[in-house]
Amino acid sequence: MWQLHRAEERGRTGAKWLKSAHSFSFGEYYNPEAVRCGPLRVINEDVVAPQSGFPMHPHKDMEIITYILSGALEHRDSMGNGSVIRAGDVQYMCAGTGVRHSEWNPSVDTPVHLLQIWVLPPQNALPPSYDQRHFADIAKLNRWCLLAAPDHEDALVVHQNFRLYASVLDQGAELGYQPTSARRLYLHVVHGVVQVGDLLLGAGDAVSGSAGLSVTATQAAELLLFDLP
């Protein structure tokens, strides 16, 4: 019923300043069994060393979400946006017709740990846009907190017909989710240990499928859930 994606099966790239794990094919890493899940194209778990980062570079025709786990990341882009995002912050950028941006760890001694997520838009050449919001852990505690959706004022507004949720589960907490027909789910474990059916999942593990989901935290955990067309 559920397709299992183990953390150790992810692609790995890196340098002195960057360690990255790729849930889907990315850059020089290609796995024909892990290209995308519907419009969900990229989940990269990155750890960026202090005083390091990605210089100004282009993106086009992609919706990009950055989820900060720890540390801080300085963002600048060709739309004139500049900010520092920290743990609990979620950043959204529609690259659309084309955007250039840089991402830099301004700390002198602390790495920044983040998830970068790319979603294919419903059409090309959308107007570029930017937004960011803070979602406190209390808003995610033992419930699904909506982070991004095409139609909800309390979430980051995206173009693609998907919904992204986060949850922070106490040990022993249970949480379910029932998709509508013709939808698929992708559950990514950020940290901790959870049970989904007969599967025990740890940090970096994921499952995908189209059935209803029931999660039990055997250790305190943090999760991302994608409801996809």
Side-chain angles (χ1 to χ4, degrees):
M1 183 177 294
W2 291 100
Q3 183 177 357
L4 176 62
H5 315 278
R6 285 296 186 194
E8 59 267 23
E9 297 171 354
R10 294 180 294 179
R12 307 276 175 171
T13 60
K16 282 187 176 181
W17 63 275
L18 172 68
K19 300 300 179 187
S20 188
H22 313 299
S23 296
F24 300 98
S25 297
F26 184 86
E28 296 180 358
Y29 166 66
Y30 177 71
N31 179 354
E33 302 298 319
V35 175
R36 61 181 178 139
C37 182
L40 178 58
R41 180 62 187 83
V42 166
I43 301 177
N44 287 348
E45 182 177 357
D46 294 336
V47 178
V48 182
Q51 294 292 289
S52 301
F54 303 92
M56 195 69 72
H57 59 283
H59 290 287
K60 185 178 180 181
D61 293 327
M62 195 67 69
E63 297 193 83
I64 300 171
I65 293 172
T66 302
Y67 188 89
I68 303 295
L69 303 177
S70 64
L73 188 72
E74 183 177 4
H75 168 93
R76 297 189 182 277
D77 64 45
S78 55
M79 294 179 283
N81 299 298
S83 63
V84 176
I85 53 177
R86 296 177 171 83
D89 290 338
V90 184
Q91 178 195 78
Y92 169 76
M93 187 171 68
C94 176
T97 54
V99 168
R100 293 176 60 82
H101 77 136
S102 64
E103 296 166 312
W104 181 259
N105 181 358
S107 173
V108 297
D109 56 9
T110 304
V112 57
H113 187 189
L114 61 101
L115 294 174
Q116 188 165 97
I117 298 157
W118 293 6
V119 178
L120 296 167
Q123 64 189 73
N124 290 338
L126 291 167
S129 63
Y130 178 91
D131 196 6
Q132 67 180 63
R133 297 199 184 193
H134 182 80
F135 297 89
D137 279 355
I138 191 64
K140 309 171 194 173
L141 186 61
N142 299 325
R143 62 183 291 268
W144 295 119
C145 174
L146 184 63
L147 306 182
D151 56 0
H152 202 291
E153 63 181 13
D154 293 330
L156 295 164
V157 177
V158 297
H159 294 276
Q160 182 56 265
N161 180 23
F162 80 99
R163 304 172 84 81
L164 171 59
Y165 299 87
S167 182
V168 175
L169 293 179
D170 289 328
Q171 184 175 1
E174 299 181 17
L175 194 58
Y177 187 87
Q178 185 65 47
T180 60
S181 60
R183 302 287 289 183
R184 71 189 84 186
L185 302 182
Y186 189 95
L187 178 74
H188 178 89
V189 181
V190 177
H191 65 75
V193 180
V194 300
Q195 187 154 359
V196 179
D198 295 331
L199 300 173
L200 203 62
L201 309 177
D205 290 341
V207 291
S208 59
S210 56
L213 182 75
S214 180
V215 184
T216 302
T218 60
Q219 296 178 11
E222 184 172 5
L223 310 171
L224 291 182
L225 176 65
F226 299 83
D227 182 327
L228 301 158

